[in-house]
Amino acid sequence: MSGDEVEEVVAIMMCLKHPDCMRVRPSVGDGGIDLLLRLLDGSYHVFQIKRFTETLKAKQKTQVSKSLARLVAYAKSRNLRVSAWTLVMPLDPTKENFFDWLQGLPAPSDVTPTWRGLNFVDGLAAEYPTVIDYYLHGGRDRVDLAAAELTKLLRLHTTSDAGCHPLEASDAADTLRALANRINAQDPHYRYDLMVTHDSVAPASVDPNRMVVFWQEQFSHSWVTIVVRARFDDAPAVRPVPLSVTITVEPGSELERQLREFHDYGGELVLPGANADITMHLPGGLTPEGGTTEAVRIRSTYTPAPFPSEIEIVVVSPDGTELGSTVAEVTSSTTGVSGRGGRYYGTEANGMFDITLQINRETSEFRFALKSRDLDGLQPQKLRAGAEMLAHLGAPNVLLLRNPHGGQVVAQTPITVPLADSPGLLLDVIEALLVIQRAAGRPIRMPALDHFHIVKPWLDAAHLLRVGELTVRWDCVRCAPEDWLGQAIAEAEGDEVGPLGLLVPLEVEIGGLSIALGDMHYAVPSARVVRRPGEDSDNYVVVPAGDPVATVTLHTSAPAPEQP
């Protein structure tokens, strides 16, 4: 084996032993391969892999010494804490090499260099024979062949000729198990999860951990899904998945505009198959035959923020008056190929809506998109700021992005869409629930907001609690026998009476809970008492005799009964 092959194979076996290793090969000179393993305390164990197989000479010792010196300088410049350093190579040390030379090397503070030699490397080879087979005995060809056999076998079993029974998941169990074991026993870089299902599997439902390829195809009435996962973090760098896409679009078309935005800002681009020519070489022989068929979806890498980055979203009037503001937490982003801009994805701090910001870094111009979230169960008081901002989100107002801590304006853009038909309705509902919550003396959570007729009683009750008086249109009020009408109710049946004063409980139903808020007094100018249809003789209702308008006041003490 060449020196590079030795280092490559040993590094891969070490990565299989420690899948979280980060693999680093110096870009210039002969520095071997470094593996950085992050430990639980935040420090790093560094493995330096060398190709040497014979007793070290002065030149080889110098190479090791220089590698260690580079590590010391790198760790110091990056404030990297190294707690262990191990030299790994297929050569066992002599006593002189280990005690007199290695132990005397200038290592990072509090680090004693160690040596893992031929016995250790032979042990790795015994533990990971697939690596040796793949690199030295033609194993890479057998990996591709095994996957190809899988797809051929599945096509054979799912042929729709007359008399053939469509493949069921249970029919393929033994075949899948045998082929999965065969493939996974041969590929040192990737492992393959195989599934046969009656319905297609959504990529979003699959664990994304180290997923490199999601391959799916329909055979007759069954779907075959193969998920290819890296066995260690650095596997795609060791065994890349080469892919190139040639995109053809008509100048001035909508697709061209989308392509330019994707090029500048990242995000997601969906291309019809006729506009994308793809060449690739997937691991396991899973490269599609015949190129692209229907569509190609290309996504930029979403870079998660190490912690949410806060941005204040402010709506101001054309004269600069602040109308409403809230804070959003940006949790991930994408960057365009051109580097001109990026897209930032986040959520309003209290979970009211999701936001996407498309920012041009060169001009500070930006575009935005909001997507409402389910508010059911959230605290109304935490949603007020976001609702106030949304109530003013429309032309001719202006949207600002501001640093919530320093107050500096980061970017601004005019709002081109007009205000909604009822822009402040959500804010009115939230403020009504807050008034009801204070009056009831109990916590209220946001219920489902399906129709306006659900929230109308909340708005009326809150207005009455705030102002003390309300004019309403009414259709009927139920009278129980113990009401003030008493014995006169039978005599008044069918006749027009008025004015009347009726005492009615003030209750609202919010999220399936009935909340009592006291009583309200209805002042009715004209009414008629009628028996409820289908009810016994003791049940009556009062209905309007003329204009169905009543003045409602909040009842604080029992009013004197008004007689017809």
Side-chain angles (χ1 to χ4, degrees):
M1 298 177 63
S2 70
D4 287 342
E5 286 176 323
V6 171
E7 291 178 359
E8 188 82 6
V9 170
V10 174
I12 291 169
M13 291 189 293
M14 288 291 293
C15 285
L16 288 170
K17 192 173 187 68
H18 304 287
D20 295 329
C21 271
M22 183 171 69
R23 181 174 171 272
V24 181
R25 181 191 289 276
S27 57
V28 179
D30 180 18
I33 296 176
D34 280 325
L35 298 178
L36 277 65
L37 178 61
R38 187 177 177 87
L39 305 178
L40 293 178
D41 63 358
S43 67
Y44 286 87
H45 185 169
V46 180
F47 299 91
Q48 171 69 201
I49 299 175
K50 289 293 187 182
R51 66 186 68 180
F52 311 134
T53 59
E54 297 179 354
T55 303
L56 297 182
K57 296 179 174 61
K59 180 180 178 181
Q60 297 165 333
K61 290 180 180 179
T62 299
Q63 289 182 17
V64 174
S65 179
K66 285 183 177 180
S67 296
L68 183 54
R70 281 196 300 267
L71 170 65
V72 172
Y74 181 83
K76 184 176 181 180
S77 66
R78 301 298 180 92
N79 198 25
L80 193 73
R81 187 160 60 93
V82 177
S83 57
W85 183 87
T86 301
L87 177 64
V88 182
M89 57 185 175
L91 174 68
D92 290 327
T94 64
K95 290 184 294 183
E96 292 77 13
N97 280 343
F98 184 79
F99 292 105
D100 298 339
W101 171 70
L102 186 70
Q103 299 293 312
L105 291 176
S109 178
D110 300 326
V111 173
T112 301
T114 58
W115 185 322
R116 292 290 180 266
L118 181 59
N119 288 335
F120 176 77
V121 174
D122 281 344
L124 290 176
E127 188 174 356
Y128 302 106
T130 56
V131 177
I132 306 302
D133 180 65
Y134 187 90
Y135 281 92
L136 303 181
H137 305 306
R140 69 184 69 198
D141 295 331
R142 286 193 293 275
V143 170
D144 288 350
L145 180 61
E149 288 177 352
L150 166 65
T151 56
K152 288 179 181 178
L153 184 59
L154 290 170
R155 287 191 180 95
L156 178 64
H157 280 294
T158 54
T159 303
S160 300
D161 292 341
C164 284
H165 178 67
L167 180 67
E168 301 289 342
S170 58
D171 298 331
D174 291 339
T175 299
L176 284 172
R177 189 180 302 111
L179 284 169
N181 289 340
R182 179 177 174 185
I183 296 173
N184 286 313
Q186 293 176 330
D187 193 333
H189 308 114
Y190 300 104
R191 64 179 177 87
Y192 302 80
D193 298 336
L194 313 180
M195 293 174 278
V196 173
T197 55
H198 290 289
D199 300 314
S200 63
V201 177
S205 68
V206 177
D207 181 6
N209 184 41
R210 294 200 181 107
M211 182 167 66
V212 177
V213 176
F214 181 92
W215 183 98
Q216 188 173 78
E217 188 170 346
Q218 186 176 19
F219 297 94
S220 185
H221 298 286
S222 296
W223 288 84
V224 177
T225 305
I226 302 178
V227 179
V228 184
R229 301 183 188 275
R231 291 186 183 270
F232 50 93
D233 288 347
D234 207 41
V238 178
R239 163 45 174 111
V241 182
L243 179 146
S244 65
V245 185
T246 302
I247 301 172
T248 305
V249 295
E250 289 290 331
S253 65
E254 172 63 16
L255 191 57
E256 184 198 26
R257 185 194 67 78
Q258 295 175 7
L259 177 59
R260 291 188 182 279
E261 283 201 352
F262 179 79
H263 185 258
D264 287 341
Y265 302 102
E268 182 174 285
L269 179 67
V270 179
L271 299 165
N275 295 84
D277 182 20
I278 293 185
T279 59
M280 68 182 82
H281 180 59
L282 303 183
L286 295 177
T287 302
E289 297 178 2
T292 307
T293 53
E294 295 182 2
V296 176
R297 175 178 292 145
I298 305 174
R299 291 178 178 173
S300 303
T301 300
Y302 288 85
T303 305
F307 50 85
S309 177
E310 295 180 339
I311 190 75
E312 188 177 14
I313 307 169
V314 188
V315 178
V316 300
S317 65
D319 64 5
T321 303
E322 186 169 321
L323 303 175
S325 68
T326 189
V327 173
E329 296 177 346
V330 179
T331 55
S332 65
S333 64
T334 63
T335 300
V337 177
S338 69
R340 187 172 296 122
R343 285 192 172 99
Y344 300 84
Y345 305 87
T347 302
E348 196 269 340
N350 295 297
M352 192 165 197
F353 55 79
D354 293 325
I355 184 168
T356 300
L357 299 171
Q358 178 179 297
I359 301 178
N360 187 317
R361 298 191 183 100
E362 296 177 351
T363 64
S364 295
E365 297 175 342
F366 75 96
R367 295 167 59 186
F368 68 95
L370 302 181
K371 182 180 179 182
S372 60
R373 293 167 62 98
D374 184 9
L375 306 182
D376 195 5
L378 300 181
Q379 298 178 18
Q381 58 267 32
K382 291 186 177 181
L383 301 177
R384 192 190 180 286
E388 185 176 40
M389 189 276 292
L390 292 175
H392 297 94
L393 193 66
N397 297 329
V398 177
L399 191 69
L400 307 180
L401 299 182
R402 194 164 66 188
N403 183 333
H405 307 294
Q408 303 92 341
V409 174
V410 178
Q412 68 180 54
T413 188
I415 304 172
T416 57
V417 297
L419 283 171
D421 294 336
S422 302
L425 179 58
L426 178 59
L427 178 61
D428 292 341
V429 169
I430 290 173
E431 290 183 334
L433 293 177
L434 293 176
V435 171
I436 294 171
Q437 181 174 257
R438 285 193 296 271
R442 58 182 294 184
I444 293 176
R445 294 292 184 267
M446 287 293 295
L449 305 177
D450 300 325
H451 304 285
F452 178 74
H453 74 268
I454 295 177
V455 305
K456 182 64 166 58
W458 310 342
L459 299 174
D460 290 344
H463 179 84
L464 187 59
L465 290 169
R466 277 193 301 254
V467 180
E469 183 175 297
L470 180 68
T471 299
V472 300
R473 300 184 69 83
W474 67 291
D475 52 10
C476 72
V477 175
R478 181 168 179 162
C479 299
E482 62 269 19
D483 286 339
W484 67 269
L485 294 173
Q487 297 298 321
I489 200 165
E491 300 174 6
E493 181 180 354
D495 297 333
E496 181 176 340
V497 295
L500 293 180
L502 303 175
L503 200 61
V504 179
L506 176 56
E507 295 181 351
V508 290
E509 184 172 312
I510 301 175
L513 298 176
S514 181
I515 301 176
L517 300 169
D519 295 311
M520 51 186 173
H521 181 259
Y522 269 70
V524 178
S526 179
R528 181 176 289 110
V529 179
V530 299
R531 195 188 305 270
R532 281 178 72 90
E535 301 276 353
D536 58 53
S537 61
D538 288 337
N539 286 276
Y540 294 85
V541 292
V542 177
V543 298
D547 189 8
V549 175
T551 300
V552 181
T553 56
L554 193 62
H555 175 66
T556 54
S557 59
E562 298 180 21
Q563 299 297 325

